[in-house]
Amino acid sequence: MRTLVTGAAGFIGSTLVDRLLSDGHDVVGVDDFSGGGVVANLENARQHNRIGRPRFTLVNVDVGAPELAGIVAGSNPDVVFHLAAQVDLRASVSNPLFDARINVLGTVNVLEACRRAGVRRLVYAASGGSRYGAPTRLPVDETAHPNPLSPYAAAKVAGEMYVGAYAAMYGIAPICLALSNVFGPRQNPRGEAGVITVFGTKMISGHAVTVYGDGTSTRDYVYVDDVVDAFARAGRAPLTTVGTYNVGTGMQTTVADVHRLVAEALDVSSVPHFAETRTGELHAIALDATKAARELGWTPAVDLAEGVRRTMQWLRATLDPEPTRLVDA
């Protein structure tokens, strides 16, 4: 199968590239490295090219650029996985026009490229953590009405609506995966989007951890390998399978519990500093993924404690690849 992945050098995108190559597919990766993607994330993909027939190509281009249409047409993919996005909530609040340019106009440009190239299957990374707003009952399923409460959430839902419009007008067969809070290796340890890697980075470096709010807010944390499995299943699903699918565990975990799990995985003592809740953040969310289990055959396999352990193992190696050793004089 020929595939194209936008945001290919990012945290989730590069992990998806590895999975697609491992499954035997050809992959064209698109990334302009402006949103957190790094070349090192694609080392495994480059290694695939060294040991066999080259099946991975990287194209450095903005998803909003006019050249994207020619790239999609030239690669003739069976499936386009659209993961490129601006994911920083605070950046969306401070600069909503920038957020919309990437998350709305970029998505429209991807859809136009798919339309012109005759691509039927598009898999879109939607935001399950923000699309439902503050639902009164958790876990929330896909029948709940979207209620975005931040510029980031509004832009991601707008992208989802454009996907639906292109499906109706041009016969594109889309699957939108509404992702809960994804975590795991390769998540930017110096960013703001992933609380687990942010906490881990602070603890490893010996700095105080800041918890926004009182520590009781909850999220649904899902491990990156499980998320990538959902993308892989969506990509090979029959074209009659379309719609929005939640990708989460259905379980709520407080920020305080996440702090404890990270400290335990690192075997450190850490007392958090509490700060005022940030604008646009929700108090609680968890996703009901029953529909994904029924129609895509997807269920999460890695529990939170094990995922945190794996992530901290990677983070230690990334931040301190050659730890200081004490030697006898």
Side-chain angles (χ1 to χ4, degrees):
M1 185 168 70
R2 297 181 304 275
T3 65
L4 185 144
V5 179
T6 73
F11 156 49
I12 304 173
S14 64
T15 310
L16 175 60
V17 167
D18 288 349
R19 169 64 185 269
L20 293 172
L21 290 171
S22 178
D23 288 349
H25 306 306
D26 292 343
V27 183
V28 172
V30 170
D31 207 303
D32 70 349
F33 300 94
S34 67
V38 294
V39 172
N41 286 346
L42 296 171
E43 181 54 35
N44 288 346
R46 295 178 185 277
Q47 184 64 26
H48 267 277
N49 284 354
R50 298 187 191 108
I51 62 177
R53 178 180 68 84
R55 291 188 289 110
F56 174 69
T57 304
L58 176 64
V59 183
N60 189 330
V61 68
D62 184 336
V63 290
E67 306 93 276
L68 185 68
I71 293 166
V72 173
S75 59
N76 191 27
D78 301 297
V79 182
V80 169
F81 297 93
H82 180 36
L83 287 82
Q86 191 297 115
V87 298
D88 190 319
L89 171 65
R90 291 197 293 176
S92 82
V93 172
S94 64
N95 193 346
L97 292 178
F98 170 73
D99 181 82
R101 184 184 71 79
I102 298 172
N103 291 344
V104 180
L105 296 183
T107 297
V108 173
N109 200 44
V110 170
L111 287 164
E112 274 291 287
C114 289
R115 177 184 69 81
R116 293 178 184 180
V119 177
R120 295 290 310 283
R121 172 64 83 203
L122 172 76
V123 184
Y124 172 68
S127 175
S130 67
R131 88 185 291 272
Y132 301 108
T136 56
R137 187 174 64 181
L138 295 174
V140 61
D141 67 21
E142 296 88 349
T143 62
H145 187 71
N147 182 29
L149 299 177
S150 69
Y152 166 75
K156 292 298 289 183
V157 169
E160 204 175 331
M161 297 300 103
Y162 271 101
V163 168
Y166 271 69
M169 292 188 298
Y170 305 119
I172 290 174
I175 290 179
C176 299
L177 298 180
L179 312 179
S180 62
N181 285 58
V182 187
F183 75 100
R186 299 183 187 170
Q187 192 162 34
N188 186 354
R190 295 174 180 84
E192 294 294 335
V195 66
I196 289 173
T197 50
V198 170
F199 283 4
T201 300
K202 294 289 188 182
M203 292 182 197
I204 290 170
S205 60
H207 293 100
V209 171
T210 299
V211 171
Y212 294 94
D214 61 4
T216 63
S217 64
T218 65
R219 296 292 184 270
D220 181 346
Y221 297 95
V222 61
Y223 190 63
V224 64
D225 287 358
D226 287 333
V227 170
V228 161
D229 184 56
F231 276 97
R233 290 173 182 272
R236 65 175 183 257
L239 290 176
T240 52
T241 301
V242 296
T244 296
Y245 295 83
N246 285 344
V247 176
T249 69
M251 296 185 295
Q252 298 182 65
T253 304
T254 68
V255 176
D257 282 338
V258 168
H259 180 271
R260 175 183 55 79
L261 286 169
V262 172
E264 288 176 354
L266 292 172
D267 194 23
V268 299
S269 177
S270 173
V271 178
H273 166 73
F274 293 93
E276 188 174 335
T277 302
R278 294 180 290 192
T279 301
E281 288 199 344
L282 304 175
H283 183 71
I285 191 67
L287 305 183
D288 182 338
T290 301
K291 182 181 175 185
R294 182 177 65 249
E295 299 184 17
L296 299 178
W298 179 85
T299 54
V302 180
D303 67 26
L304 180 57
E306 173 61 17
V308 168
R309 186 194 67 78
R310 295 183 192 180
T311 305
M312 292 306 107
Q313 185 177 43
W314 165 81
L315 193 56
R316 273 199 186 278
T318 300
L319 298 178
D320 191 15
E322 296 182 2
T324 301
R325 292 180 174 85
L326 296 177
V327 297
D328 294 333

